[in-house]
Amino acid sequence: MISITERHQHIIIKLQQKGQVTVLDLCDELSVSSVTIRKDLKLLEDKGLLFRTHGGATQNNPYTIDRPVNEKEHMQINEKHRIGVAAAKLIEPNDSILIASGTTVMALAKNIQPAPLKSLTVITSALNVALELIRHPEIEIMQLGGLLRRSSSSVTGPYSESILTDFSCSKLFLGVDGIDLEFGFTTTNVMEAHLNRQMINISQKTIVLADSSKFGKRGFGRICGFEDIDQIITDKGISEHTHKALQGMGVKVTIV
């Protein structure tokens, strides 16, 4: 019979390879009960070697915190720039697009080149996105109104949600705080999650812009599941396991 030390070594190695493990997989691989695996995971969590999640464990803390936008803009700068460049290439002439809030979608705004687009209409909840795009006279901007979230420089609430019911957009570029293979896409603010869901409802295509640090994380407010997302643009830090899982759920993954 495999020893407790060998089980723990197996779990740690699997976490290093995949970033996360499930109780069911570990039971099959180690030929032990789920009770034994859960005890192992608790012992390893107590030692600070992993974080337990629903049905398994992850290498990184799965819970996100609400950080100010001026703090987040200094994190994963190069990755966000590459994501923004790739996302801008998806915008077509005469598009009417939605841009949500966040530093990664701000990278998109900085890389939009309106000259070849002829006519572009942008609806946004983010004040910093609107201020970035206002310097382009070719872009028509619809700034949503509502309750201002200082931490994200964006608006939320029922007023901004009700305005959206009058529009239909070709693409939504959505930033998120967490992407969990079981729980879906999340943000740290539940009102922003509600607004994001309404954005998805009025958009023909939803494209998530997220650097690889967002995978395996959960925010407080759930936005949607994977069935509502058409494409994710991320960086090379995404694990092979996560990449394959997303493709299996029918989500197009673009790695930059």
Side-chain angles (χ1 to χ4, degrees):
M1 176 180 283
I2 188 170
S3 69
I4 184 171
T5 300
E6 290 172 322
R7 289 201 309 271
H8 288 184
Q9 288 175 341
H10 178 87
I11 293 169
I12 295 302
I13 290 171
K14 289 280 289 188
L15 276 173
Q16 290 171 346
Q17 292 174 340
K18 293 191 172 184
Q20 59 186 9
V21 293
T22 68
V23 171
L24 289 177
D25 285 345
L26 292 173
C27 288
D28 290 339
E29 294 163 6
L30 298 171
S31 299
V32 294
S33 69
S34 61
V35 174
T36 298
I37 291 299
R38 292 183 194 281
K39 287 181 179 178
D40 287 339
L41 295 180
K42 186 178 188 308
L43 285 171
L44 291 170
E45 184 179 50
D46 291 342
K47 293 179 181 179
L49 298 174
L50 54 76
F51 295 90
R52 284 187 297 164
T53 62
H54 178 71
T58 181
Q59 195 172 21
N60 301 309
N61 190 337
Y63 301 104
T64 61
I65 60 173
D66 191 13
R67 300 177 185 272
V69 66
N70 58 353
E71 179 181 334
K72 291 194 290 186
E73 67 185 4
H74 297 295
M75 302 168 67
Q76 287 81 38
I77 297 174
N78 294 331
E79 292 85 349
K80 290 174 181 177
H81 171 73
R82 294 197 301 270
I83 292 168
V85 170
K89 293 178 181 178
L90 299 178
I91 301 174
E92 300 172 303
N94 303 309
D95 256 349
S96 295
I97 66 172
L98 257 170
I99 299 180
S101 64
T103 52
T104 313
V105 295
M106 182 61 182
L108 160 64
K110 290 180 178 179
N111 284 283
I112 292 177
Q113 301 297 327
L117 297 175
K118 297 179 182 178
S119 175
L120 175 63
T121 300
V122 176
I123 303 173
T124 185
S125 58
L127 299 182
N128 53 356
V129 167
L131 289 172
E132 173 65 29
L133 296 178
I134 201 170
R135 61 193 179 91
H136 299 298
E138 308 95 327
I139 300 178
E140 185 173 351
I141 303 166
M142 169 70 73
Q143 171 67 61
L144 297 180
L147 180 66
L148 180 62
R149 282 191 67 212
R150 289 179 173 82
S151 64
S152 63
S153 295
S154 64
V155 298
T156 61
Y159 182 64
S160 53
E161 293 175 34
S162 65
I163 295 174
L164 286 175
T165 60
D166 292 330
F167 300 100
S168 176
C169 296
S170 55
K171 299 179 183 75
L172 162 62
F173 293 95
L174 179 66
V176 299
D177 291 318
I179 304 174
D180 183 279
L181 291 178
E182 293 181 356
F183 196 60
F185 298 82
T186 56
T187 180
T188 55
N189 183 273
V190 68
M191 292 181 68
E192 187 165 71
H194 287 170
L195 178 61
N196 290 160
R197 281 203 293 273
Q198 180 61 18
M199 290 178 168
I200 291 171
N201 290 338
I202 69 160
S203 301
Q204 296 174 27
K205 185 176 184 180
T206 298
I207 304 159
V208 171
L209 310 184
D211 68 79
S212 58
S213 70
K214 303 295 178 62
F215 291 96
K217 299 289 182 69
R218 293 187 183 191
F220 178 67
R222 184 176 188 270
I223 300 171
C224 66
F226 292 91
E227 66 277 3
D228 294 315
I229 301 300
D230 298 284
Q231 183 175 356
I232 297 175
I233 304 178
T234 188
D235 61 79
K236 297 176 182 178
I238 184 175
S239 70
E240 184 178 350
H241 168 74
T242 300
H243 187 186
K244 288 181 178 179
L246 292 170
Q247 289 179 317
M249 289 185 279
V251 178
K252 181 180 179 181
V253 181
T254 301
I255 299 176
V256 296

